[in-house]
Amino acid sequence: MRNNAVFGPGGNSDSFYAAGYKSTTQAPEFLSGIGLGAYEFEAGNGLRAGAETLKKIGEEAKKHHIEMSLHTPYFISLSGIVPEKRLKSIDYIKESLEAAAHLGADTIVIHTGSAAKITRREAMDLAKDTLSRTLEAVGDTPIHLGLETMGKINQLGTLEEVIELCLLDPHLYPVVDFGHINARELGGQFPDADAYRRVFHQIAEKLGDEKARYMHCHFSKIEYTSAGEKKHLTFADEQYGPVFEPLAEALVRDDLCPRIICESDGTMSDDALYMQNAYLAARG
């Protein structure tokens, strides 16, 4: 296991294309060239790349020592109230696992669902049922099924809900999106390193030290309204947050080694590099 945090973008940044690159098969070369070590393949709008393309990306990632993950389609809903649509999510997760295997990815990231039309407890019960059926369908996969903390108030996906779902089975892992947590609570959630440390400590207490120390994370500044998340921003924003430097301090103080994927609006590679530099500065 590695002994440091690793950083990278979710998808291809504006700077990737500005540098003359055109295809995601070139993303690992680009990231290695600027000194980053991770990449999340974005399939939020559906998995459109074929097996050969995914394998080529995976070969390039291995060649350039880039850690890979995959974000599953947004239309997956573990808590959907229409049974046919909810159970179709199992097929989408299976397809995502197959794609992740081609990529050499060790984690897929899954949105946990909605609680807009039913109670949160009803939504949790449906999500647990979907996950139980999914785990039965996919068997003992080596790829982590990551459940993401969400940014809208009417979505499932508080930190506590994600932990409760992860307790169902060892194959389930928390994916903490710090921007989502901050937006969901309408800001001010991470004023200092101790606030970040509490997230890792809570996961370690409930799910074990390893899932906390090597956690898969997302980080970006996010605009919010009274309903929670509205829009991903860039690190140039000074209004919404959260701020990364206290997280860098927390990682160093507690010897944490997460993978942190940046989902800034167009500047994800640049902002991932900013985070990496801040982390290295905190390490001294």
Side-chain angles (χ1 to χ4, degrees), residues 248 252 275-284:
V252 173
M275 288 193 288
Q276 179 171 281
N277 290 336
Y279 166 70
L280 293 174
R283 289 185 78 184

Side-chain angles (χ1 to χ4, degrees), residues 32-202:
S32 176
I34 63 174
L36 292 172
Y39 183 79
E40 187 158 286
F41 184 90
E42 297 298 312
N45 294 319
L47 188 58
R48 295 167 181 166
E52 290 308 310
T53 299
L54 295 169
K55 288 177 183 176
K56 177 62 174 174
I57 297 168
E59 289 168 1
E60 289 295 304
K62 185 175 181 180
K63 174 182 172 182
H64 292 284
H65 308 290
I66 302 298
E67 296 185 16
M68 296 292 292
S69 56
L70 177 143
H71 200 301
T72 65
Y74 300 136
F75 44 76
I76 289 174
S77 180
L78 303 180
S79 63
I81 58 177
V82 179
E84 293 80 7
K85 290 183 179 179
R86 178 170 66 88
L87 297 179
K88 183 65 177 172
S89 294
I90 299 171
D91 293 332
Y92 295 134
I93 293 172
K94 288 173 67 177
E95 291 169 5
S96 297
L97 286 169
E98 291 171 6
H102 293 321
L103 289 167
D106 60 11
T107 299
I108 63 170
V109 178
I110 305 167
H111 285 184
T112 41
S114 173
K117 298 180 180 179
I118 52 179
T119 68
R120 302 197 76 82
R121 182 43 50 190
E122 288 170 331
M124 285 290 286
D125 289 343
L126 287 172
K128 287 180 179 181
D129 178 69
T130 310
L131 286 171
S132 295
R133 292 169 185 259
T134 299
L135 291 162
E136 185 177 348
V138 303
D140 186 23
T141 174
I143 299 170
H144 301 166
L145 277 67
L147 304 179
E148 184 177 358
T149 59
M150 299 305 296
K152 294 188 172 108
I153 291 170
N154 66 2
Q155 292 173 312
L156 274 191
T158 65
L159 179 60
E160 292 74 17
E161 287 166 345
V162 165
I163 289 173
E164 182 178 337
L165 291 172
C166 287
L167 285 168
L168 281 174
D169 189 274
H171 293 85
L172 301 172
Y173 284 69
V175 173
V176 169
D177 187 313
F178 292 102
H180 280 168
I181 291 176
N182 188 65
R184 185 185 197 104
E185 299 300 327
L186 311 185
Q189 290 304 291
F190 300 108
D192 53 32
D194 285 341
Y196 284 109
R197 293 173 74 207
R198 282 192 286 271
V199 172
F200 289 91
H201 292 173
Q202 190 172 346

